[in-house]
Every structure is written in C-alpha cells, then in structure tokens.
Amino acid sequence: MWLTFAKQATDDDIIAGICQDYPQRQVWENRLYLKFRYLIKDAVWKHKLREDEASMAYSDAILVTIKHIVGNTFEQRSSLKTYVYKIYQYKCMDCLRAAQANKRGLGNQENLDHYVELLPDEQQDTIRQLCAKYEVAILKRRIQLMDERCQRIILAWGEGYQDKEIAVDLGYQSAAVAKTSRLRCLEKLKKSYKAVKDLKTTADGRAD
Amino acid sequence: MEERIEHYFDAELTKAEKRQFEEDLSANPDLADDAAFYLQSRIAAKQAAHETLLEEKHQRWSGLSEEQPKRLSRGDWMSIAAAILLVIAAVFYFNNPFKRDLSVRAESYLANNLKELPVHLGDEGQRLQGAIQAYNQQQYEPAITLTAIYLSQHPADAEALRVIGLAHLQKKEYDQALDYFQQLSAQTRLYSNPGKYYEGLTYLLRNQEGDKVQGRKLLEEVIANNLEGKQDAMKLLE
C-alpha cells in the first residue's frame, strides 16, 4: 500500500478551472469527475443500481454541476463534494424511477410549468391540454432523425446558446439569419412529428 | 412559426405587445397550437442537448485512467495506528523520557542538596570551620585549600575528608572527590560514615564507562547495610 502525497485540487481551483475556456476547462472538468468518482461504487451498493447506470448517473451529476458552475448558479454555500453528492442522489433516484411507467414525464411537467405560468390563468389549462398532444420523448427522437444542420441548430438552442452564438458557431451571416433558420427547423420538426403521429393513428385504426 | 411566441416566453415583448399576443392566443387556435408545440419542442431540445452532451462526456470520462490516490480502508488505518503505537512503545521501552537517567537524578540531588555543611564550634578545627564557611559560601577553591592544610595535620579527620571531597565534587573534580571519599569509606571506627554514599554518588555523577553500575552497587550496599545516606540512596534508586 503506497500513499500518494500529490496536492489535491481545492474547490476554488476546480471552479476557477472550469470557468476557463477550452481546452484548459476540459482538464478541470476531468479533475472534478475523478475527484468524486468513488461515489459510483457507493451508489451501486446503496441504491442497488447496475454499475453502468450508476456511472451514467454520476456523469450526469457532474455535467449538471459544471453547468451550474459556468452559469453561476452554484453559489458555494456548500462544498463541491456536498453539492455533487446531492445532485447524484437525485440522479440515482431518477434512474430508479425511470424503470417505472409514467414517472419519466415528471421532469417535463416541471419545465412546462415554468413557461405556462407566464400566461394568464384562463389560458393555462388550454395550453397544457394542447401540450399534451406533443410528447417530449417522441420529439427528442425526431430531433435525432433530422438533417444534420437542423439537428445542430436545435441542439445548440437546447443547450442555451443565443442566436448570435449559433450564428458564429454554425457559420450563419447574422443572429437574425440563425433565428430564421431555427424557426424553419422547428416547422420541419412539427411536420415530422405530425407525420409520425398520423402514421401511428392510422396503424392503430387498422389494428382495431 | 411566429417569432412572437418566443419573444413572449422570453419576456421580450412590451406590455402592449404582450396583451395583444394573449388576446390573439385566445382567439386563434393555430397560434395556441404553435405555442404549445414551441414549448414542448423547447423542452425536448433542452433534454436532447443534455443527453447528447452527457453521452459525449460520459464516454470521455469513463475512459479516464488517471492514477488516483488510494483511499485507505478502515483496515489500512488500523494498521497504521498499530504501527505508530508500536513505535511509541519501543521508544518508551528503550528510552523512557519519564524515567530519568540515574546520573541526571544524581545531578539534581547535588543541585538541591549538600549546599551547606554544619559549622562546628570550638577551638579545635578552626581552620576547618573556615573551610566549611567558605564551602557554604560556594567558595570551593578556598575551602579545598584550607581543608588540605588541615588534613596535612589531621590526615584521618573524617569531617575534613568529607568537606574536601564535597568541595571537589561541587567543582566536578570527580577523581579527586573519589579519592577522599574512598579514604573516608575506609574508616571503620566512625559511628556514622557517609563515605560509601558519597562514593556511589560521585560515580554516578562522573558517569564514565562502568560508573553507573559501580555507583548503583555502592548505593545498594548503603541501603542493605543501613549506612548513612540510606534514605537518599533509596530515593536515587527509585
């Protein structure tokens, strides 16, 4: 048994490192990942998850932590260890619930509420009912099947990039052009979704 | 798809525009349908982006093979603690700091005792009294000189042998001190003879090779034979 006496990165070191640009940021993301990787084995034992499930949930927790650090929503009221541990516990519970039917939509509902509650009270129920027509899981699949350009622009939008950033990254002339392209891609997505839904409705009808 | 939908949910419309949008939303089912689709596709895009990034990061991170500092198990910590305890025990066994060296105790005894000798009154031994007074004033050289002169006339005087021996002892002149204490020890007609005790004490203070053993032996004899200095000898050997 040999002990290494290498200096451990502090929370401040890791946070500062992750707030840098790539490629330096990648080094610190890796260090954050490695620092608490032992939690995976704990989760396998505690939550009775498979190792691959626990490992994916851990990566998810680290990714969320990184997003919070970059987005300044991690206020350092607790240590990184406590923060990562809490998020990881939630991810493990999500993983356990994902095995059960009808529980996966819970996160979607919370996200939808955030937007619907911006509407006047009398319109909220109507919009909620209309939203139920468009299943998030199917939309996600349709996004993955879109042409590369539309897929990239929609995923960039989903990651939270502004139109001006998408324009630079994907080579559009301006933010306005990027926005127009994105809205066109959303139109395509809607048509694609409806086509699949119509097909399904027809198939169900024939089966009856 | 109308840009107004995105502007509304991003809170980018003026109050008037917002009011107009909400009125149109109520009146226009297609607009309402587009708004619903927009919200769901925004959620789907966010989740899909996260899942794509997660997949990419997970693949990268899972492949990391950086050597991690080994986490110590409970057994490891107990082994370390046991090893440390063994080392401490060994140090104490071979060199117990709480058990002071015999020579050190002898030095401490000398520092706290034998600083004053009783002065005898009377005409005889006046010079010796002067020597004792000099000794009591820690003037050991004059004490030695005066006692030596006295001894030249009274070579077997036990008190003089004691004074001059102790004066040499105070000056750390251990060989000379031993010589006088051995002469004192050799006297057999004394009612109370501290010679052997002083001899043992001097060996401990000199602390040359074999002195500690010799000193201890003499002190044990003082104790065993109930000689003068027995109590002090017992304290030293505790």
Side-chain angles (χ1 to χ4, degrees):
Chain A
M1 174 197 78
W2 294 103
L3 298 176
T4 61
F5 294 96
K7 184 173 175 266
Q8 290 285 323
T10 63
D11 282 4
D12 288 341
D13 293 337
I14 291 173
I15 291 165
I18 286 173
C19 290
Q20 296 179 83
D21 293 328
Y22 287 104
Q24 296 93 328
R25 173 171 155 176
Q26 188 62 62
V27 172
W28 290 98
E29 288 183 358
N30 294 351
R31 289 189 80 166
L32 174 62
Y33 175 88
L34 290 170
K35 190 167 182 178
F36 306 116
R37 186 160 63 171
Y38 62 86
L39 290 173
I40 296 174
K41 285 210 185 316
D42 291 349
V44 169
W45 173 79
K46 186 177 172 184
H47 299 293
K48 306 289 183 276
L49 292 171
R50 294 196 314 267
E51 181 138 2
D52 61 313
E53 289 174 329
S55 179
M56 181 61 87
Y58 178 70
S59 294
D60 201 353
I62 292 296
L63 186 57
V64 168
T65 302
I66 290 169
K67 284 184 176 178
H68 289 183
I69 289 172
V70 172
N72 285 323
T73 50
F74 173 59
E75 294 171 352
Q76 291 187 262
R77 287 185 195 165
S78 70
S79 65
L80 268 176
K81 180 180 174 181
T82 303
Y83 199 78
V84 167
Y85 180 78
K86 276 189 183 162
I87 296 176
Y88 188 41
Q89 295 308 298
Y90 292 136
K91 293 294 180 185
C92 288
M93 297 311 294
D94 281 349
C95 202
L96 288 168
R97 281 198 292 260
Q100 300 174 32
N102 300 325
K103 293 290 180 83
R104 192 181 266 279
L106 199 64
N108 299 341
Q109 190 61 42
E110 287 167 359
N111 289 325
L112 186 62
D113 286 347
H114 169 73
Y115 294 111
V116 170
E117 282 165 7
L118 297 172
L119 292 164
D121 292 344
E122 60 273 17
Q123 290 178 338
Q124 287 184 17
D125 280 345
T126 306
I127 296 298
R128 280 191 213 278
Q129 283 168 19
L130 288 170
C131 283
K133 278 172 43 181
Y134 299 104
E135 295 175 42
V136 169
I138 297 176
L139 281 167
K140 282 197 299 186
R141 279 201 293 275
R142 300 320 298 176
I143 290 171
Q144 300 297 346
L145 294 172
M146 295 184 87
D147 63 270
E148 191 188 335
R149 199 155 182 85
C150 273
Q151 198 182 116
R152 286 181 71 187
I153 200 169
I154 288 181
L155 290 179
W157 175 57
E159 265 191 79
Y161 287 105
Q162 302 292 315
D163 287 323
K164 59 184 175 185
E165 291 169 309
I166 293 172
V168 169
D169 198 36
L170 299 184
Y172 291 98
Q173 277 187 342
S174 65
V177 172
K179 185 171 197 165
T180 306
S181 294
R182 180 164 56 79
L183 292 175
R184 281 197 193 133
C185 287
L186 284 176
E187 287 285 356
K188 278 189 192 176
L189 180 62
K190 191 176 181 185
K191 282 183 187 163
S192 163
Y193 182 92
K194 283 197 162 171
V196 169
K197 273 305 240 187
D198 290 343
L199 205 63
K200 191 172 181 300
T201 307
T202 308
D204 288 345
R206 283 194 186 144
D208 291 341
Chain B
M1 182 175 297
E2 285 194 44
E3 286 189 23
R4 277 200 304 167
I5 296 173
E6 186 161 85
H7 292 320
Y8 178 87
F9 289 110
D10 284 347
E12 291 171 357
L13 295 177
T14 63
K15 274 189 183 171
E17 287 170 340
K18 188 179 165 197
R19 208 167 29 247
Q20 185 62 54
F21 177 82
E22 287 166 2
E23 284 175 15
D24 293 344
L25 203 63
S26 292
N28 187 345
D30 288 340
L31 182 61
D33 190 69
D34 280 348
F37 173 79
Y38 170 84
L39 291 178
Q40 291 294 82
S41 61
R42 189 161 175 168
I43 293 168
K46 193 175 174 185
Q47 287 187 12
H50 180 81
E51 285 165 15
T52 302
L53 185 61
L54 175 59
E55 192 57 47
E56 177 199 318
K57 293 288 186 185
H58 179 67
Q59 271 199 348
R60 180 196 297 269
W61 287 331
S62 299
L64 288 175
S65 58
E66 181 180 322
E67 231 2 84
Q68 287 302 290
K70 185 172 188 286
R71 277 187 86 205
L72 298 176
S73 67
R74 191 175 171 191
D76 291 337
W77 282 115
M78 292 190 65
S79 301
I80 291 171
I84 291 171
L85 281 172
L86 269 174
V87 168
I88 292 171
V91 166
F92 266 78
Y93 181 78
F94 291 110
N95 186 23
N96 189 343
F98 295 109
K99 187 182 169 189
R100 291 166 60 190
D101 184 73
L102 202 48
S103 300
V104 173
R105 278 187 278 160
E107 282 178 15
S108 176
Y109 174 83
L110 187 65
N112 295 305
N113 296 279
L114 302 176
K115 291 297 182 192
E116 275 197 28
L117 299 173
V119 176
H120 299 286
L121 298 172
D123 292 331
E124 276 188 30
Q126 195 177 4
R127 192 156 280 163
L128 188 59
Q129 289 173 34
I132 291 171
Q133 281 171 357
Y135 179 96
N136 290 343
Q137 289 166 10
Q138 295 175 18
Q139 294 169 0
Y140 301 120
E141 196 57 50
I144 290 169
T145 305
L146 287 169
T147 315
I149 294 170
Y150 183 85
L151 275 171
S152 65
Q153 294 163 358
H154 307 87
D157 191 289
E159 188 63 17
L161 289 169
R162 185 167 97 123
V163 172
I164 198 168
L166 287 173
H168 278 296
L169 192 66
Q170 295 289 357
K171 286 185 70 185
K172 299 187 192 317
E173 292 166 350
Y174 300 120
D175 293 342
Q176 291 92 314
L178 264 177
D179 182 51
Y180 288 110
F181 291 143
Q182 283 165 355
Q183 291 180 50
L184 181 59
S185 296
Q187 294 191 4
T188 55
R189 290 186 182 179
L190 294 175
Y191 177 75
S192 173
N193 189 337
K196 191 164 278 190
Y197 173 70
Y198 290 143
E199 206 183 327
L201 183 66
T202 306
Y203 275 116
L204 293 179
L205 287 167
R206 191 174 75 171
N207 203 19
Q208 289 176 2
E209 192 177 334
D211 280 356
K212 222 177 263 186
V213 172
Q214 183 63 14
R216 178 181 281 275
K217 182 185 162 194
L218 286 167
L219 292 180
E220 284 169 353
E221 284 177 18
V222 166
I223 295 167
N225 297 316
N226 204 25
L227 303 175
E228 188 175 328
K230 176 187 173 182
Q231 296 302 320
D232 291 333
M234 285 170 68
K235 283 180 188 169
L236 277 173
L237 294 182
E238 269 177 0

